[in-house]
Amino acid sequence: MVKNSEYKSCYHCGNICDTVEIDYDNKVFCCHGCKTVYEIFSESNLTAYYDIEKSPGARPKVNEGKFDFLKDQQILDKLLEFNNDSIQIATLYIPHIHCSSCIWILENLHKLNPKITSSQVNFNKKTVRITYQSQTCTLKEIVILLSNIGYEPYISLDDYSDSKKQINRSIIYKLGIAGFAFGNVMFLSFPEYFEVNEYWLDHYKPLFRWLMFAFSLPVVFYAAQDYFISAFKGLRAKILNIDVPITIGILVLFIRSTIEITFDIGQGFFDSLTGLVFFLLLGKFFQQKTYSFLSFERDYKSYFPIAVTKIVSETEEIPIQIYDIKKGDRLLIRNEELIPVDGILIKGHASIDYSFVTGESEAIDKISGDKIFAGGKQTSGSIEMEALKAVKQSYLTQLWSHDIFNKNKEEAFVNLTNNISKHFTISILTIALVATTFWLFYDANKAMNVFTAVLIIACPCALALAAPFTFGNMLRIFGKHKLYLKNASVIEQLAAINTIIFDKTGTITSNKKSTATYHGEPLTDGEERLLKNTLRGSNHPLSRTLYDILKANDIVTLDAFEEHIGHGVQATLHDMNIKVGSAGFVGKFESEKSLQTSVHISSNNTYKGKYTFYNSYRTGLSKLFNQLKKHYDLAILSGDNEGELNNLKKILPTKTKLLFNQKPEDKLEYIKYHQTEGAKVLMLGDGLNDSGALAQSEVGIALSENINIFSPACDGIMDATVFHKLEQFLIASKKAIQIIKWSFLLSLIYNLIGLYFAVTGQLAPVVAAILMPLSSISIVVFTTVATNWISRKLV
Amino acid sequence: MSVIYILLGVSVIVALIFFVAFIIAVKNGQYDDSYTPSVRMLFEDELIKDKTDKTILTKKE
């Protein structure tokens, strides 16, 4: 018997070598794939791969036929970035890139294949850009080489979209311009700060001032234009958003400063103006810097392959593009390939894994003539099918045409800053008017001065900075704890949640582990050993699961072994015979169809009993629900049958609503209905069947065991390992709102001090020059320190 | 003291040169990937020489 502790971990991929152990070159490998990759690397003197990180590799999965479509010129044209007679450049997305070893090996590809001229990795985006000689080498060759060494590229329908995504760099330009102008203006206004009455400085004052004016022009008219646009849009929609007072502030600063220097009244506030815009853009930049390697806007296009194999005649097979599939086409689906359209199974044994669609990881067996749906993944050999619809009309793709996917959640949401700024703008305008009226009677000369001064000093830059910096930092901290949110406003919405809805399969249950209990006559030791050894030979998912659950036993060689696809397995050893599989297969008549997944066993043709599988729930589930029930309404929506009802009732608080047999639309409607009753919904789901619900809810978070692939369009992606921390994340979001409120208070105090100087008509440029940056910087420091402080509990 | 015109002119031109360099750098995608180059820099140019003695090349456990 082999004990767990004796298992060695694979030198290449780090997995525990529990079933196979291959010794090669004094190293242990878990499978031949890993060993082969090691051989490839060591032959090319690339073993430094293993020096940079420990066991950095992945088990290679090679499926040669899978990339046949790369021969199609039309598809190739869309994928290639550059293409001339001798050189082609392609950028491939490789989900497995995860450490510095990956960068190293991928940038040394030219050593593995000399026809590759160069390759460059973008780690954040997980892409590699490969330049190669097109006369002697094809993209297919390169893709297969990459797959062979465990870096299989992920080429999906998304890559096929007509418009290549443009990188938006405008924020960096704007930030650069504002920073550049800010620095120079500060430098030029230096003499004026100290009001030195020095002849030469006085003499050149106008020159300095007009230079400052020149520097501020691009800042106002280019760098700050987003604020103008947003304020204009807000006003047109009759909303007083935060950008309105900011725009007023910028305009007043600019106009007053220009008037001041034109009539030689003073030096103006160009330093504050440029500084203000610079800080505001800095805040925006901070907020925008999100995780570029995660995609939150996935739809079916990111899941579907570009092409499938069409069977034209008995002998001819051609790859065709997904969009070209017509009703009635005969398609060949290879092992591990995705079914692109709804259709009918014609030939072969289908065992379809619908986990992308439903979250259910168990493969469903289908026989010839059965209907199969788009989005399923074939897991046992090749099959042939006939398309019933075109891709766009398939059930799964139709879900995406639902209105909810065209709605922009962010715009519909009035955030805290805008809410406060509405009152803020009104009060500032009132104060400015009242103060001006007062001065008009008291000292009319100063009235205009006071009016502009109030608008300048009250410009809510600190107010505008509080939210981006707090949320920006929270995003970063959440990301460090493996909850990746799409943007800052999600945190605000998280704080407002009062209802949490969970999907069952794949969300609160783990995909990887199942537990099984045995009912029936106990098995003898001999039978148990035979059972384990029988399962060892079967690749059916249930066999694999049961095999992993059963105690380890000696490995024996079976006398006979037979697998009946779709039914079960049977084996003989000495005089013992065992049958494992469906009830009918082992010879038991089932009176009623059971809702549970079971594997039945008979030994020497007498029925012994069955293993019933239960979902294995994520650790800490019960505790989490008990914590959450105090503050939130909880519900579980499951696409599955009620087989797990009693089990769920045992672990979850009594108030939890449990709904079964929910279709994707049902989930969406359920959330919609509760929203009309005032619920603010957080939805947690994983499969594509949850995507409608994720989009409809206030916050939709996709739970994922592998954050890099397969998460539907959502507001956030959560790593399954931190699921139990959900409540802590919610608390932290609430505290983040608190921090913003405190910063608002702080900025209000600054504004009041500033207003005092402004209203009393004594706002000197130097006061503005000190107060404005001080308030901005202290808000930034405050929010950063405070967010780090509240998140220390998120361990 | 009229030299201040020249001084100002020079300093503004120098600043502008840097600014243009910045714009060009952004345009060429220098700021698109801020992580990989920092790792790439740490790799040895030629970590492995063409030696036949494999025991030196592979990692000691």
Side-chain angles (χ1 to χ4, degrees):
Chain A
M1 216 189 213
V2 191
K3 286 219 178 69
N4 235 352
S5 55
E6 288 167 25
Y7 289 147
K8 287 177 186 151
S9 64
C10 176
Y11 185 70
H12 176 71
C13 70
N15 280 0
I16 307 283
C17 311
D18 51 356
T19 41
V20 202
E21 199 179 300
I22 302 161
D23 281 304
Y24 177 78
D25 211 7
N26 294 324
K27 288 159 192 74
V28 190
F29 298 95
C30 66
C31 61
H32 278 280
C34 288
K35 191 195 122 203
T36 316
V37 179
Y38 173 78
E39 275 178 306
I40 297 173
F41 287 168
S42 61
E43 271 166 28
S44 312
N45 278 334
L46 288 171
T47 44
Y49 180 61
Y50 302 101
D51 295 340
I52 301 166
E53 299 271 337
K54 210 181 163 205
S55 48
R59 281 186 202 208
K61 254 197 276 175
V62 188
N63 192 344
E64 302 253 338
K66 191 175 169 185
F67 294 108
D68 275 349
F69 63 86
L70 289 175
K71 282 190 272 187
D72 189 283
Q73 195 54 43
Q74 237 186 320
I75 295 174
L76 218 50
D77 285 343
K78 289 266 186 177
L79 289 175
L80 290 175
E81 216 168 274
F82 176 84
N83 185 7
N84 75 2
D85 296 339
S86 55
I87 284 175
Q88 288 181 340
I89 301 176
T91 300
L92 299 167
Y93 172 65
I94 298 178
H96 181 66
I97 295 180
H98 72 288
C99 68
S100 33
S101 275
C102 304
I103 302 177
W104 187 80
I105 198 77
L106 289 173
E107 300 205 334
N108 274 307
L109 274 184
H110 56 95
K111 288 190 183 157
L112 288 175
N113 184 346
K115 289 157 203 154
I116 295 172
T117 333
S118 73
S119 48
Q120 199 177 28
V121 175
N122 183 329
F123 187 82
N124 289 331
K125 291 199 180 119
K126 295 185 189 263
T127 56
V128 60
R129 190 164 182 267
I130 301 176
T131 315
Y132 57 96
Q133 289 152 1
S134 54
Q135 279 156 338
T136 49
C137 185
T138 62
L139 187 61
K140 192 187 161 198
E141 261 174 67
I142 291 171
V143 167
I144 288 173
L145 169 72
L146 285 169
S147 313
N148 279 332
I149 59 170
Y151 290 96
E152 186 182 312
Y154 189 72
I155 303 170
S156 68
L157 205 54
D158 226 10
D159 297 305
Y160 193 71
S161 50
D162 278 317
S163 54
K164 284 273 174 222
K165 279 157 213 144
Q166 277 284 312
I167 314 162
N168 188 3
R169 302 192 183 109
S170 74
I171 184 92
I172 301 182
Y173 288 132
K174 285 175 184 159
L175 197 59
I177 288 170
F180 168 75
F182 179 45
N184 280 290
V185 170
M186 286 277 274
F187 172 66
L188 289 168
S189 57
F190 214 63
E192 305 235 24
Y193 284 158
F194 302 102
E195 292 176 27
V196 205
N197 290 319
E198 203 261 343
Y199 172 77
W200 285 106
L201 282 180
D202 275 348
H203 184 77
Y204 290 110
K205 243 180 199 171
L207 174 69
F208 285 164
R209 287 175 178 177
W210 284 110
L211 268 174
M212 289 196 273
F213 172 76
F215 276 121
S216 71
L217 283 176
V219 175
V220 173
F221 292 104
Y222 176 66
Q225 65 179 356
D226 288 347
Y227 293 98
F228 294 139
I229 294 166
S230 156
F232 177 70
K233 275 188 186 159
L235 284 179
R236 209 172 46 181
K238 299 203 172 85
I239 300 167
L240 278 175
N241 59 18
I242 185 80
D243 294 326
V244 175
I246 290 177
T247 306
I248 297 178
I250 293 173
L251 279 180
V252 170
L253 267 172
F254 180 68
I255 294 168
R256 178 169 164 180
S257 306
T258 314
I259 293 172
E260 275 191 14
I261 60 163
T262 321
F263 298 102
D264 201 23
I265 306 166
Q267 83 268 38
F269 303 89
F270 290 116
D271 48 349
S272 305
L273 170 66
T274 45
L276 166 73
V277 176
F278 177 66
F279 281 121
L280 285 172
L281 288 171
L282 206 62
K284 219 179 200 178
F285 179 69
F286 199 68
Q287 199 176 49
Q288 242 182 39
K289 241 182 138 17
T290 167
Y291 341 84
S292 45
F293 65 96
L294 295 170
S295 174
F296 297 94
E297 302 291 352
R298 286 174 197 271
D299 62 7
Y300 68 96
K301 282 192 197 128
S302 342
Y303 302 88
F304 278 18
I306 287 184
V308 285
T309 315
K310 181 180 165 182
I311 303 168
V312 188
S313 65
E314 287 294 312
T315 48
E316 201 192 355
E317 289 173 3
I318 50 159
I320 66 160
Q321 290 165 41
I322 293 278
Y323 284 133
D324 293 343
I325 297 176
K326 282 189 257 354
K327 193 182 162 186
D329 281 355
R330 252 172 107 92
L331 307 171
L332 176 76
I333 309 291
R334 291 194 184 82
N335 197 16
E336 300 278 301
E337 275 186 354
L338 219 60
I339 297 166
V341 286
D342 298 350
I344 284 179
L345 181 66
I346 293 186
K347 214 160 91 183
H349 168 69
S351 179
I352 298 164
D353 172 2
Y354 278 114
S355 62
F356 301 155
V357 188
T358 60
E360 176 70 66
S361 62
E362 257 156 45
I364 297 163
D365 290 318
K366 295 276 176 198
I367 51 162
S368 174
D370 281 353
K371 206 171 169 196
I372 48 180
F373 294 97
K377 188 173 164 194
Q378 163 64 0
T379 58
S380 63
S382 311
I383 51 167
E384 280 178 38
M385 62 173 283
E386 188 181 303
L388 280 180
K389 286 167 180 167
V391 168
K392 290 208 166 147
Q393 291 156 350
S394 277
Y395 172 68
L396 184 66
T397 32
Q398 291 229 305
L399 183 66
W400 254 277
S401 52
H402 197 282
D403 285 343
I404 191 69
F405 290 100
N406 300 321
K407 213 160 76 185
N408 191 340
K409 263 195 224 179
E410 228 181 306
E411 276 172 17
F413 174 69
V414 183
N415 64 32
L416 186 65
T417 319
N418 281 343
N419 217 348
I420 289 183
S421 76
K422 195 172 86 187
H423 304 288
F424 183 84
T425 315
I426 295 169
S427 9
I428 287 306
L429 288 175
T430 325
I431 293 174
L433 286 176
V434 170
T436 317
T437 340
F438 168 77
W439 281 98
L440 268 178
F441 292 106
Y442 189 76
D443 181 358
N445 290 333
K446 272 193 166 177
M448 210 51 221
N449 196 9
V450 167
F451 180 68
T452 50
V454 169
L455 292 179
I456 289 170
I457 201 70
C459 180
C461 53
L463 207 63
L465 283 176
F469 273 91
T470 311
F471 289 142
N473 205 28
M474 279 317 270
L475 275 186
R476 200 181 52 79
I477 292 165
F478 278 9
K480 224 163 67 190
H481 290 95
K482 295 182 178 171
L483 170 64
Y484 307 92
L485 299 177
K486 185 164 85 179
N487 56 42
S489 72
V490 178
I491 297 181
E492 229 178 305
Q493 302 189 41
L494 259 187
I497 290 302
N498 59 21
T499 307
I500 306 177
I501 297 175
F502 297 86
D503 164 56
K504 185 177 79 75
T505 321
T507 306
I508 60 172
T509 65
S510 160
N511 270 339
K512 284 176 187 152
K513 285 173 284 173
S514 302
T515 47
T517 50
Y518 181 73
H519 302 279
E521 276 177 61
L523 300 171
T524 62
D525 280 354
E527 282 168 339
E528 232 171 77
R529 175 150 37 106
L530 181 58
L531 174 65
K532 177 96 179 170
N533 278 290
T534 309
L535 292 169
R536 198 161 167 260
S538 164
N539 252 332
H540 191 277
L542 284 180
S543 310
R544 303 307 316 158
T545 317
L546 192 55
Y547 179 81
D548 289 337
I549 292 167
L550 293 176
K551 287 195 305 234
N553 262 309
D554 306 326
I555 293 170
V556 287
T557 319
L558 300 167
D559 294 340
F561 174 84
E562 237 181 296
E563 183 154 12
H564 302 265
I565 287 167
H567 302 287
V569 285
Q570 74 178 101
T572 353
L573 179 71
H574 309 309
D575 54 349
M576 225 189 317
N577 174 326
I578 196 165
K579 273 182 168 181
V580 186
S582 64
F585 177 68
V586 301
K588 182 180 186 276
F589 176 70
E590 241 181 332
S591 48
E592 56 186 281
K593 189 136 174 61
S594 167
L595 291 171
Q596 286 149 336
T597 316
S598 314
V599 168
H600 299 264
I601 293 157
S602 75
S603 159
N604 291 333
N605 291 324
T606 42
Y607 183 74
K608 295 298 267 189
K610 62 176 178 181
Y611 277 96
T612 306
F613 288 87
Y614 295 101
N615 292 122
S616 146
Y617 293 98
R618 292 196 190 281
T619 39
L621 178 75
S622 186
K623 197 176 150 205
L624 176 72
F625 268 70
N626 279 314
Q627 286 166 348
L628 289 174
K629 72 165 185 201
K630 291 173 208 153
H631 308 286
Y632 303 98
D633 286 333
L634 303 174
I636 288 175
L637 295 180
S638 173
D640 289 350
N641 59 44
E642 292 172 22
E644 285 282 316
L645 180 68
N646 289 325
N647 213 356
L648 268 171
K649 272 189 176 161
K650 261 183 259 167
I651 6 180
L652 300 181
T654 40
K655 269 168 67 188
T656 315
K657 282 177 218 127
L658 300 165
L659 286 122
F660 291 94
N661 297 318
Q662 299 286 305
K663 285 202 279 297
E665 295 85 356
D666 298 340
K667 293 187 178 182
L668 199 159
E669 290 303 325
Y670 180 85
I671 291 175
K672 216 180 208 172
Y673 171 72
H674 280 265
Q675 281 173 332
T676 54
E677 294 195 329
K680 297 259 183 284
V681 181
L682 164 65
M683 170 85 203
L684 279 111
D686 72 326
L688 289 186
N689 65 332
D690 302 317
S691 54
L694 290 174
Q696 174 66 43
S697 56
E698 264 78 20
V699 182
I701 293 181
L703 203 75
S704 176
E705 314 231 328
N706 180 355
I707 50 161
N708 295 316
I709 22 177
F710 307 133
S711 32
C714 56
D715 300 305
I717 299 172
M718 187 191 248
D719 192 300
T721 53
V722 296
F723 177 66
H724 62 279
K725 287 192 204 166
L726 181 65
E727 201 210 2
Q728 293 169 36
F729 285 124
L730 291 170
I731 293 173
S733 318
K734 282 192 175 162
K735 285 194 176 151
I737 301 288
Q738 223 109 65
I739 290 177
I740 293 178
K741 287 185 177 159
W742 279 104
S743 341
F744 282 174
L745 196 70
L746 201 64
S747 96
L748 196 69
I749 294 169
Y750 285 122
N751 273 317
L752 286 177
I753 298 170
L755 275 176
Y756 166 77
F757 285 105
V759 172
T760 49
Q762 42 178 331
L763 180 73
V766 72
V767 177
I770 294 169
L771 257 179
M772 296 188 77
L774 181 76
S775 60
S776 309
I777 292 166
S778 63
I779 290 290
V780 171
V781 171
F782 172 73
T783 57
T784 313
V785 171
T787 40
N788 282 329
W789 173 254
I790 59 161
S791 53
R792 73 195 186 285
K793 280 189 189 153
L794 273 172
V795 191
Chain B
M1 200 52 187
S2 314
V3 75
I4 203 156
Y5 287 112
I6 301 168
L7 282 176
L8 265 179
V10 169
S11 72
V12 168
I13 286 168
V14 170
L16 276 174
I17 290 171
F18 275 100
F19 182 67
V20 170
F22 167 78
I23 297 285
I24 292 171
V26 176
K27 198 164 241 157
N28 289 339
Q30 286 254 348
Y31 291 84
D32 291 354
D33 183 4
S34 49
Y35 180 77
T36 327
S38 69
V39 179
R40 190 178 295 139
M41 184 180 87
L42 298 173
F43 296 140
E44 300 286 338
D45 285 340
E46 228 13 302
L47 208 55
I48 296 141
K49 303 269 171 343
D50 282 321
K51 286 180 205 161
T52 37
D53 190 356
K54 256 188 166 179
T55 50
I56 302 173
L57 303 176
T58 47
K59 191 177 169 185
K60 284 147 225 103
E61 291 200 69

